[in-house]
Amino acid sequence: MADSISPSFPEELAIATDADVVRARQAVRAATVAAGFSLVEQTKLVTAASELARNCLVHGGGGRIRVQLVRSPVGRAGVRMVVEDTGPGIPDVETALSDGYTTGTGLGFGLGGARRLVHDFEVDSAPGRGTTVTAVRWAGR
């Protein structure tokens, strides 16, 4: 369990347009800077945020992202992002996480790629009730 610490960036943003995906990336980058991430760590989490926000917009019809600074029980700084939509949901999450699987026109590396870029990753989804993805990356790890 991680504790939340004070933010210096938008904690919650709607994702309804391409510009919102850019704002989500910017908020996550600001959070990674506030958490003391290296440039490589920043890039990994911002890339994951971009994939998840884009999936939210394209496959979920839009939603929101929440960004939090967190601290692990051993004092390590991190960033948690929660991306939620109320779209059609994912019928088979494990298949959706497989490289090459896509329901659109992409290459099918987005969701699985986002999972590889973070330390903790959870997908909660079912047909008809939308999708919530929670991802955490820790600094210096």
Side-chain angles (χ1 to χ4, degrees):
M1 182 78 171
D3 295 327
S4 177
I5 53 181
S6 64
S8 59
F9 48 85
E11 292 181 85
E12 184 172 324
L13 296 166
I15 300 171
T17 66
D18 288 336
D20 294 333
V21 173
V22 173
R23 282 190 277 280
R25 291 173 52 103
Q26 292 168 335
V28 169
R29 179 166 307 278
T32 61
V33 170
F37 280 32
S38 71
L39 183 57
V40 170
E41 292 168 331
Q42 291 175 34
T43 302
K44 287 180 177 179
L45 193 58
V46 170
T47 300
S50 182
E51 293 292 342
L52 297 176
R54 176 74 48 206
N55 280 351
C56 174
L57 178 62
V58 172
H59 301 291
R64 67 182 179 156
I65 183 171
R66 287 182 280 139
V67 183
Q68 286 182 294
L69 296 179
V70 292
R71 192 161 298 279
S72 75
V74 296
R76 179 169 283 152
V79 176
R80 175 190 301 132
M81 57 185 176
V82 179
V83 181
E84 302 172 294
D85 68 61
T86 57
I90 303 170
D92 184 343
V93 172
E94 285 307 312
T95 298
L97 287 165
S98 302
D99 286 343
Y101 176 81
T102 182
T103 58
T105 59
L107 298 174
F109 294 104
L111 196 57
R115 178 171 65 174
R116 287 188 292 273
L117 293 169
V118 300
H119 296 115
D120 302 317
F121 189 85
E122 181 181 315
V123 178
D124 180 20
S125 186
R129 82 172 161 84
T131 300
T132 300
V133 179
T134 303
V136 179
R137 184 165 180 90
W138 302 105
R141 194 170 149 194

